[in-house]
Amino acid sequence: MPDESNEARHVPSPLMRESLMDKGVIAGTESPVRAILPHANVIKIGGRSIMDRGREALLPLIDEIVANQSQHTLIIGVGAGVRSRHIFAVGLDLGLPTGVLATLSAKSAAQNAYMVSCLLAQHGFVYLEAPFVVQLLPGMLAAARGAVFNGVPPYDLWEHLPAVGKIPPHRTDAGAYLVAEVFGARKMILLKDVDGVYTADPATTADAQLIPRISAGELAARQLPTLPLDRAVLTILGNARLATEVQVVNGLVPGNLTRALNGEQVGTIVHR
Amino acid sequence: MSGLDPSAVVPPIGDWLLHGSVDDPAVLAATDAMPDYAILPWANVVKIGGQSIIDRGRSAVYPLIEEIASNLERHKMILGTGAGTRARHVYSLAMDLGLPTGVLTVLGTAVAWQNAQMLHYLLARYGIPFIEPEGFSVLPHYLMERGAVVCQGMPPYKLWEQNPPVGRIPPHRTDTGCFLIAEVFGARKMIYVKDEDGLYTADPKKDSNARHIPRIALHELLAHDLNDLVVERAVLEMLQHARHIREIQFVNGLRSGQLTAALDGEPVGTIIFRADEEVA
């Protein structure tokens, strides 16, 4: 065992010498969180649901984003879409691990985010890679009331391991949500190609009902085979401190984004 | 516009992925059956503790540097660093200011980075580089040429770190970051170098009745639901789902020769392993 001369040099702090794995120490750190960007809204443009449809789906949405620029500050995440599914397929076939699939897929979302930023460039929106979201985002929002980011969280090779299979569990809904939570954003809106979350798949079940409001825990417990948002969001939302709601709206319907930004009940709200 | 044509060029799994939902249990099960290619099966990931080793200064670090150097010819090592006491200070300060968990991760990463830089300068005479997460593509080359690389142990989650269920401390820190490096590369070993002989029934620094555990099955350790642990809880959760790493080893870096023994495959310290029945 170490002698006294071998003692660690400590910086005095309430956590000095403590084990950060100790449940009591962890519980003792519970304390209020301050919203860093309380007026900002995070919206996410779906990959397969919006981007892959091209101009027909995307350009009206771009117009609606611009129309809201004077009223609402928008941090715009973008999904990866079908190219990420394709590289998942090739990567899985080659035996590559989840962390590599996550790194590869992030580039597909980066392409989509960059295209969205080009369409919004004349209004001052820029695309920010993760390190620039950390450092430059507030300045960009002050200058243009908006910026675009990659929906895939920057977990790269360090992506968590899924319970079943090899698909990266944290995709663009989760990545966009985490941005809303860390900045304490006013709204988190997921733009999809369906009107919200249904009691069953509306494409195959005639009496499927739209769910206007549901808790993340209750939605997870229903074990619906398909959901219009990443399942990981339901887990992460359970630990929300600031962004306690996610609103799923149909981005193909003009006006939906504006209504959601104005606080109207449209689509489905999934809450903590 | 429509998507890519799956019939053209995509491997068989592509039909599922291009048309199905990636949260569909059937699709996930199909991906579960895919092969696992070990990218660096001869690499060993070694995590050097922050508070337990580096904060002690040269009395702890110099002998360990010598031991690492003496293993360069025989073992390939990815050396990740912990954060330690300055992380505890900055976490305390940031929480007092009301800043969220993601900001704490950004701050903690800087501390692990400082420790990695210091380790790097002490190993520089052996040609050992420091690499950032963004530079990991050159890692295999340095391992082949020089036998080791130094990196900071925090996963690069930045503001995207998830809140813990309780409290404010980032749940995925340097133990987790190093574990995920070992898993993604299909590494030979994941060794944690700390200042204890491994796992105990309680914190031996605080409880004189704490007993040493040389080897324990993951499910058994989880069943104990211990109040304190030698490793971040996230590592144990991830070990349950790992496809390459089957065990993790904890050695005392203050005892000369323990790291070498672990690299040579000897059962020093504590080994937490996944029993066969846990391997899906």
Side-chain angles (χ1 to χ4, degrees):
Chain A
M1 293 303 288
D3 58 33
E4 285 302 308
S5 64
N6 207 9
E7 269 292 293
R9 284 119 175 106
H10 290 287
V11 179
S13 79
L15 294 173
M16 183 178 77
R17 293 175 196 267
E18 296 287 0
S19 163
L20 299 187
M21 281 71 97
D22 184 282
K23 287 181 183 175
V25 171
I26 292 171
T29 63
E30 195 65 74
S31 51
V33 186
R34 177 191 178 90
I36 296 174
L37 294 171
H39 305 299
N41 303 277
V42 177
I43 67 175
K44 200 214 95 174
I45 300 174
R48 283 213 305 182
S49 53
I50 309 275
M51 285 301 298
D52 288 345
R53 292 175 188 271
R55 69 156 68 212
E56 188 188 355
L58 187 59
L59 292 188
L61 195 55
I62 295 291
D63 289 342
E64 197 169 338
I65 287 168
V66 172
N68 277 287
Q69 192 182 14
S70 62
Q71 296 295 315
H72 298 291
T73 297
L74 299 176
I75 310 173
I76 305 166
V78 186
V82 72
R83 293 186 307 284
S84 122
R85 302 300 185 85
H86 180 265
I87 202 159
F88 282 163
V90 177
L92 282 165
D93 194 66
L94 295 173
L96 295 173
T98 298
V100 170
L101 300 180
T103 306
L104 295 169
S105 156
K107 281 290 179 214
S108 297
Q111 293 172 315
N112 284 347
Y114 190 66
M115 287 192 279
V116 168
S117 79
C118 289
L119 298 174
L120 288 164
Q122 60 182 310
H123 304 285
F125 289 58
V126 297
Y127 167 58
L128 298 174
E129 293 272 1
F132 300 104
V133 171
V134 174
Q135 294 178 346
L136 290 180
L137 179 66
M140 294 300 169
L141 296 182
R145 285 184 173 274
V148 182
F149 70 99
N150 187 336
V152 177
Y155 289 8
D156 294 340
L157 298 178
W158 290 260
E159 168 63 309
H160 299 195
L161 309 169
V164 179
K166 296 179 68 171
I167 301 287
H170 299 101
R171 298 185 300 276
T172 56
D173 294 341
Y177 169 76
L178 287 165
V179 169
E181 167 64 17
V182 79
F183 288 123
R186 174 181 169 265
K187 292 248 174 232
M188 172 69 239
I189 301 166
L190 297 175
L191 298 164
K192 303 282 180 175
D193 60 355
V194 291
D195 290 337
V197 182
Y198 282 82
T199 52
D201 187 349
T204 56
T205 312
D207 60 351
Q209 302 286 315
L210 181 74
I211 305 171
R213 197 175 165 83
I214 189 168
S215 78
E218 194 187 339
L219 185 54
R222 289 197 185 192
Q223 294 189 308
L224 299 173
T226 61
L227 280 177
L229 72 166
D230 295 347
R231 227 165 270 270
V233 174
L234 304 183
T235 313
I236 300 170
L237 196 53
N239 295 326
R241 301 294 197 278
L242 298 173
T244 56
E245 291 184 355
V246 173
Q247 192 163 2
V248 182
V249 306
N250 193 337
L252 301 178
V253 177
N256 267 357
L257 169 62
T258 304
R259 285 200 286 276
L261 285 170
N262 289 337
E264 290 177 34
Q265 166 70 58
V266 52
T268 297
I269 292 173
V270 183
H271 60 89
R272 183 176 58 188
Chain B
M1 276 197 58
S2 64
L4 302 169
D5 176 10
S7 65
V9 288
V10 186
I13 189 85
D15 282 347
W16 287 88
L17 288 169
L18 293 183
H19 299 301
S21 155
V22 281
D23 277 324
D24 183 339
V27 174
L28 294 182
T31 70
D32 197 46
M34 299 305 284
D36 295 307
Y37 182 92
I39 294 173
L40 295 173
W42 36 254
N44 303 279
V45 178
V46 177
K47 191 211 139 177
I48 313 294
Q51 180 162 257
S52 54
I53 302 289
I54 296 170
D55 287 346
R56 291 176 187 274
R58 71 169 181 268
S59 65
V61 175
Y62 277 14
L64 196 57
I65 293 291
E66 280 180 34
E67 194 168 339
I68 290 166
S70 72
N71 277 290
L72 287 173
E73 296 294 322
R74 302 188 304 128
H75 296 292
K76 309 288 189 194
M77 290 169 279
I78 300 171
L79 304 163
T81 53
T85 195
R86 294 187 307 285
R88 286 162 166 76
H89 180 267
V90 80
Y91 289 158
S92 301
L93 181 58
M95 285 190 289
D96 190 57
L97 296 172
L99 296 171
T101 296
V103 170
L104 267 59
T105 288
V106 170
L107 300 168
T109 301
V111 179
W113 188 95
Q114 292 172 317
N115 286 343
Q117 284 280 304
M118 290 194 286
L119 204 64
H120 157 64
Y121 288 122
L122 296 174
L123 286 164
R125 64 178 64 172
Y126 306 102
I128 308 303
F130 166 84
I131 56 172
E132 301 272 8
E134 295 76 17
F136 261 47
S137 54
V138 299
L139 179 147
H141 172 76
Y142 285 117
L143 287 183
M144 290 295 263
E145 290 295 313
R146 306 303 327 154
V149 299
V150 178
C151 58
Q152 58 91 7
M154 285 287 274
Y157 297 166
K158 309 181 190 60
L159 299 176
W160 287 260
E161 168 65 319
Q162 296 167 29
N163 293 334
V166 177
R168 301 273 304 285
I169 306 285
H172 308 99
R173 303 188 303 279
T174 55
D175 290 346
T176 307
C178 291
F179 176 82
L180 286 168
I181 292 170
E183 171 64 16
V184 80
F185 289 138
R188 173 178 170 264
K189 284 200 177 289
M190 174 69 243
I191 300 168
Y192 292 93
V193 180
K194 306 219 178 193
D195 62 351
E196 304 286 356
D197 290 340
L199 189 61
Y200 286 80
T201 51
D203 185 349
K205 291 194 190 76
K206 295 175 180 171
D207 185 348
S208 59
N209 292 322
R211 283 179 293 110
H212 179 247
I213 302 169
R215 195 172 161 82
I216 186 167
L218 176 61
H219 66 88
E220 197 183 329
L221 180 60
L222 291 171
H224 284 316
D225 192 26
L226 299 174
N227 199 53
D228 197 8
L229 284 171
V230 69
V231 65
E232 291 158 21
R233 283 184 177 76
V235 172
L236 302 182
E237 287 158 19
M238 289 177 176
L239 182 56
Q240 289 180 286
H241 304 309
R243 300 175 73 91
H244 291 286
I245 301 297
R246 291 290 181 252
E247 61 177 46
I248 54 181
Q249 190 164 6
F250 298 83
V251 302
N252 191 339
L254 304 180
R255 288 188 193 273
S256 174
Q258 278 217 355
L259 170 60
T260 302
L263 287 167
D264 288 342
E266 293 174 32
V268 290
T270 293
I271 292 174
I272 300 173
F273 65 99
R274 241 169 80 177
D276 282 339
E277 62 270 21
E278 293 177 86
V279 179

